[in-house]
Amino acid sequence: MIYYITSIALILIGMYAVLVKKNLVKMIIGLSLVDGGLHLLFIAIGYVDDATAPIFSKEGLSAAEMVDPIPQALVLTAIVIGLAVTAVALAIIIRLYDHHKTLNVNKIRELKW
Amino acid sequence: MNLNFSPVHFIAVPLFAAFLLPLLGRISQKLVTLVPGIVLLYLSAVALTLFPQAYNEPIVEIIAGWRPPFGITLVFGPLAAFLVTMITLIGFVVWIYSYRFIIRAPLEKYYMLFMLLIAGSTGIILTGDIFNLFVFLEITAIAAYSLTAFLRDHNGAEAAFKYLLIGSFASAFVLLAIIILYANVGTLNMADIAVRMGDVPAKIKLTIMILFIVGLGIEAELFPLNGWAPDAYSQAPSPIGAVFAGIVVKAAVYALMRVLFTLFDLPTSSHFLVVMGTITLLIAEMSAMRQQQIKRMLAFSSIGQMGLVLVAFGLGTREGIAAALFLMFSHAIIKTLLFFSAGYLVFFSGFKNISDLEGVGREKPWTGFFFSLGALAIIGLPPFSGFWGKFYLLISAANASHIFLIVLILFSAVIEAVYYLRVVGRLYFKKLHDIEIRRTPFTGLLAMGILAIVTITIGVYPDFIYELVLPAADELLDKAAYLQYAMMGQ
């Protein structure tokens, strides 16, 4: 239960940061928090109490004694995607900063938002 | 006749080319421009070869030897065949156009991201696995963010940041939907999910559906989630604007429809789609009328057309879905043509504003001619494919006795006529400003010429495409048959 609460709290904190914060970098941190929360939620769904990692680490381990491996594999993929998005976002922020000399989203308004 | 062509090539070949291009860039810049063209030509050949097979019997490709429902499958049925062929052919024409249009900036980056866009969009359409769909959606999105910021001006970066922020929210919603879905059905194969969907409580089903609609709706330009589109379209290089309208959005709409039709039962969602599509259509057309910049106008017009497509899907009848696919095809061609010609018009006059284009059409007859032709086609005048798209939609709306809908669609066509003809009028009937006129490269004219010929040909022989979209519409409606072959009879 604690996993679910924590992950949903993380998602909400992240969304708050994206929607309310004016600093571009803080918005991206918020985005990463949302991602992190989602990953945690996914792992928590595949979790089985008192089960071990989904690897045949000792003889005679049955599938019922392991946690669900699929969420783990998927979260690994999702983490890589999140990393790529963050990298692109930071590259764009660097370029925005070069042009505007500010990270405040209110002062960067050449286009209609 | 089996040349070992397989649907995997649509994803693997452009992906491989994308990795190879930065290396080729070290050897020769010429190679960097040529290789994407060869790749897209090859993919078009594969698509056309596999096309008849897919219509006879859908091809299901198993990846890495894991049979469904455990492994990832690629499902190449009539619908996928139709859309993938469309994407590869449009991609090839975009390459012809880019050949002389993208010359200054780092070429290998442009073509690498372009290849990733192609791989991602075809992946979205081919995959039979819901998480794989998410991955391809993200590949497409990341390439699209970077291409939006490709021109090194600060507006490009701003548009890209806006797109990235909204796009990341979209993918978070899709991921959340997939997580809840997995928690309830315990499988990721879309056909398998559809089978087990019956056991899921109605409230959870609704939650998942809303998350999917919000997440995929952002990429599919559904109102009010399309705030990113006008900026991204107008700040990206012109060929990329065409790619967004012709390829990326089409793939996203496919994803939305696949999820809504196959995973969820249609009747609950269809009215929603009609209403949202109509609102998208009207708001977008009104906004397009107010635009000062030509590419922003085209972007809003593109959103409006996607509204039409959603309405057509929402009708939920066989004719309605066929009309939607016909509209998608016709819009992909015409909007690409419009973006191509607008790209050169802007390039000639040096400004993005419509008022700066006065008289350019008289000075550059071919480019102006192609823009005018595209404008007439998208409004829906008879000798062009745009007419038949709207015609089929009106017929199916009449059959479903949505009289009010017909009024709205015709009304939106009038608005379209107003703002497109305003631009065309300025191109020809105003005096030319004092601008420096440059030559249109041959490849640019060739790309526009191909698209113009296609839209006229389809306008004269609409049955050819209509015969192709009917089986594709059946695939979307006939859930049982899809489950049968996507699960390979298991």
Side-chain angles (χ1 to χ4, degrees):
Chain A
M1 200 61 208
I2 185 80
Y3 299 114
Y4 290 101
I5 295 168
T6 321
S7 54
I8 289 168
L10 264 180
I11 295 171
L12 291 178
I13 293 169
M15 286 201 169
Y16 170 81
V18 176
L19 296 174
V20 175
K21 291 293 172 190
K22 297 295 174 202
N23 187 308
L24 293 178
V25 177
K26 286 183 184 165
M27 289 164 95
I28 293 306
I29 292 174
L31 222 50
S32 299
L33 281 177
V34 174
D35 268 359
L38 285 172
H39 300 161
L40 208 57
L41 183 67
F42 212 171
I43 290 288
I45 277 170
Y47 185 71
V48 181
D49 278 330
D50 301 325
T52 168
I55 310 165
F56 287 99
S57 47
K58 60 177 184 228
E59 291 280 319
L61 203 61
S62 77
E65 295 169 57
M66 299 184 209
V67 298
D68 189 349
I70 291 179
Q72 304 196 354
L74 301 187
V75 164
L76 207 56
T77 318
I79 288 172
V80 175
I81 293 171
L83 175 81
V85 172
T86 311
V88 172
L90 291 176
I92 293 171
I93 289 175
I94 290 172
R95 196 179 288 174
L96 278 174
Y97 185 79
D98 280 347
H99 280 290
H100 296 275
K101 299 292 171 215
T102 175
L103 287 175
N104 189 328
V105 75
N106 284 342
K107 289 181 183 154
I108 305 172
R109 274 177 187 251
E110 310 250 323
L111 303 169
K112 292 183 193 117
W113 279 71
Chain B
M1 108 130 218
N2 190 357
L3 289 167
N4 282 329
F5 283 160
S6 107
V8 184
H9 292 202
F10 292 118
I11 301 161
V13 175
L15 210 53
F16 183 64
F19 286 114
L20 216 58
L21 281 172
L23 295 176
L24 289 177
R26 305 217 157 198
I27 304 167
S28 148
Q29 290 288 304
K30 197 81 195 160
L31 223 51
V32 173
T33 32
L34 283 178
V35 166
I38 297 166
V39 167
L40 284 164
L41 195 62
Y42 171 72
L43 292 184
S44 308
V46 176
L48 291 174
T49 321
L50 292 179
F51 204 85
Q53 283 185 42
Y55 271 75
N56 275 334
E57 201 194 341
I59 306 164
V60 179
E61 185 83 20
I62 303 166
I63 306 293
W66 293 85
R67 292 184 67 81
F70 302 111
I72 292 170
T73 51
L74 300 183
V75 183
F76 196 70
L79 182 58
F82 180 73
L83 291 174
V84 165
T85 312
M86 181 184 98
I87 284 179
T88 49
L89 291 175
I90 296 272
F92 183 63
V93 178
V94 170
W95 171 77
I96 297 179
Y97 184 80
S98 303
Y99 188 75
R100 291 289 295 279
F101 194 86
I102 306 293
I103 35 177
R104 273 168 303 169
L107 287 177
E108 58 266 35
K109 288 184 188 158
Y110 174 83
Y111 284 112
M112 185 186 82
L113 293 168
F114 180 43
M115 287 286 99
L116 280 179
L117 262 186
I118 299 283
S121 321
T122 45
I124 290 174
I125 290 168
L126 287 174
T127 186
D129 181 283
I130 194 83
F131 190 77
N132 208 222
L133 183 104
F134 168 75
V135 173
F136 282 122
L137 203 66
E138 284 295 277
I139 291 177
T140 316
I142 291 171
Y145 307 149
S146 317
L147 278 170
T148 308
F150 182 74
L151 296 178
R152 292 187 157 272
D153 53 0
H154 48 286
N155 281 349
E158 193 181 333
F161 189 79
K162 193 172 162 183
Y163 186 8
L164 185 140
L165 216 54
I166 301 174
S168 304
F169 254 90
S171 59
F173 279 117
V174 174
L175 188 57
L176 189 56
I178 293 172
I179 292 171
I180 300 175
L181 197 60
Y182 180 78
N184 282 284
V185 296
T187 175
L188 291 165
N189 184 297
M190 285 203 266
D192 202 18
I193 292 173
V195 173
R196 297 177 193 212
M197 211 57 191
D199 307 334
V200 178
K203 277 178 189 167
I204 292 178
K205 231 166 153 174
L206 189 66
T207 314
I208 299 170
M209 193 167 83
I210 291 171
L211 286 170
F212 267 124
I213 289 176
V214 172
L216 295 170
I218 289 176
E219 294 287 341
E221 300 181 349
L222 187 68
F223 177 83
L225 312 164
N226 48 26
W228 60 272
D231 291 333
Y233 277 71
S234 58
Q235 300 307 322
S238 296
I240 296 308
V243 169
F244 285 167
I247 296 179
V248 176
V249 175
K250 300 294 182 290
V253 168
Y254 166 83
L256 187 59
M257 291 311 139
R258 175 57 85 203
V259 166
L260 287 182
F261 278 79
T262 306
L263 262 50
F264 301 94
D265 292 324
L266 173 72
T268 49
S269 63
S270 59
H271 274 298
F272 171 80
L273 277 182
V274 171
V275 172
M276 288 318 283
T278 319
I279 298 174
T280 309
L281 174 68
L282 290 177
I283 303 255
E285 301 289 16
M286 302 283 195
S287 313
M289 206 144 88
R290 289 180 49 241
Q291 296 308 312
Q292 304 297 319
Q293 290 184 10
I294 185 159
K295 282 207 226 160
R296 285 184 78 90
M297 188 191 93
L298 290 180
F300 275 111
S301 155
S302 174
I303 297 173
Q305 294 286 321
M306 288 340 278
L308 274 181
V309 170
L310 290 175
V311 168
F313 272 119
L315 289 174
T317 56
R318 184 169 181 248
E319 292 83 29
I321 293 169
L325 293 169
F326 195 98
L327 273 171
M328 276 165 88
F329 184 77
S330 149
H331 175 245
I333 290 165
I334 302 170
K335 195 46 67 65
T336 310
L337 175 63
L338 281 169
F339 265 105
F340 282 0
S341 46
Y344 272 116
L345 291 177
V346 168
F347 178 66
F348 289 137
S349 68
F351 297 99
K352 288 176 175 168
N353 290 341
I354 294 171
S355 54
D356 292 314
L357 297 177
E358 290 177 353
V360 180
R362 280 193 293 191
E363 201 63 38
K364 304 300 297 178
W366 280 107
T367 316
F369 167 73
F370 284 130
F371 186 85
S372 317
L373 196 142
L376 296 180
I378 206 149
I379 296 166
L381 288 181
F384 304 109
S385 58
F387 168 73
W388 293 102
K390 284 189 179 167
F391 179 73
Y392 291 134
L393 173 57
L394 290 176
I395 294 280
S396 46
N399 285 343
S401 56
H402 285 296
I403 302 302
F404 190 57
L405 206 58
I406 298 177
V407 176
L408 286 177
I409 293 167
L410 291 175
F411 177 62
S412 76
V414 173
I415 306 179
E416 270 182 339
V418 171
Y419 66 79
Y420 271 110
L421 294 181
R422 184 186 61 171
V423 178
V424 173
R426 287 200 173 206
L427 281 180
Y428 288 105
F429 303 116
K430 287 282 174 92
K431 261 190 75 152
L432 186 66
H433 286 302
D434 197 19
I435 56 167
E436 181 197 356
I437 291 291
R438 286 166 279 198
R439 261 184 74 234
T440 320
F442 172 69
T443 50
L445 288 177
L446 177 68
M448 290 185 247
I450 294 172
L451 293 170
I453 290 169
V454 171
T455 180
I456 292 173
T457 315
I458 293 169
V460 178
Y461 302 104
D463 286 347
F464 174 65
I465 294 294
Y466 199 65
E467 302 278 299
L468 292 179
V469 293
L470 280 176
D474 287 337
E475 186 201 326
L476 206 53
L477 279 177
D478 194 354
K479 199 165 135 181
Y482 175 78
L483 300 188
Q484 178 67 28
Y485 65 74
M487 293 288 283
M488 310 192 74
Q490 287 187 6

